[in-house]
Amino acid sequence: MDLIFCLDNKQGMMFNHRRQSRDKDVIQDILRLTDGHKIWMQPYSAAIFPEKFPQIQIAEFPWNHAMEDEYCYIENADPNTLLDKKVKELI
């Protein structure tokens, strides 16, 4: 799987327990990048994605479900703890 996450200039993923961005352009970039492949994410993240995209898959621990040619978008999980999973690329 390819692991997608957003960082700020200090390499942080959350600011005061809130997501880095709700930017519509970031969401569109992710959808364009994944090109119709499944994007696994937690319910917390799914709230910022449009509901009309069937490739969005929701699970409490999405990294346990994403297959080799799929993506996993994380906002509130430490990517370092997931590197021993089947991570192919960090985006």
Side-chain angles (χ1 to χ4, degrees), residues 31-87:
L31 292 170
R32 192 172 22 263
L33 169 80
T34 57
D35 192 30
H37 288 88
K38 285 185 181 178
I39 311 168
W40 287 90
M41 62 186 71
Q42 294 177 304
Y44 175 81
S45 299
I48 62 172
F49 281 80
E51 293 180 20
K52 64 181 180 180
F53 291 94
Q55 71 264 37
I56 295 173
Q57 304 293 308
I58 302 167
E60 194 63 36
F61 302 103
W63 46 86
N64 290 335
H65 299 277
M67 303 303 282
E68 183 177 341
D69 62 339
E70 297 174 345
Y71 295 85
C72 184
Y73 178 66
I74 58 170
E75 291 185 284
N76 54 358
D78 183 355
N80 291 312
T81 63
L82 304 176
L83 294 179
D84 64 336
K85 302 282 184 194
K86 49 195 176 232
V87 175

Side-chain angles (χ1 to χ4, degrees), residues 13-30:
M13 292 179 61
M14 304 275 294
F15 177 75
N16 199 22
H17 304 289
R18 290 177 289 172
R19 63 176 43 96
Q20 285 295 344
S21 177
R22 294 185 77 139
D23 191 307
K24 292 178 184 174
D25 290 337
V26 171
I27 301 306
Q28 291 304 314
D29 283 346
I30 291 170

Side-chain angles (χ1 to χ4, degrees), residues 6-15 20:
C6 298
L7 297 174
D8 64 17
N9 290 339
K10 294 183 180 182
Q11 306 304 309
M13 292 179 61
M14 304 275 294
F15 177 75
Q20 285 295 344

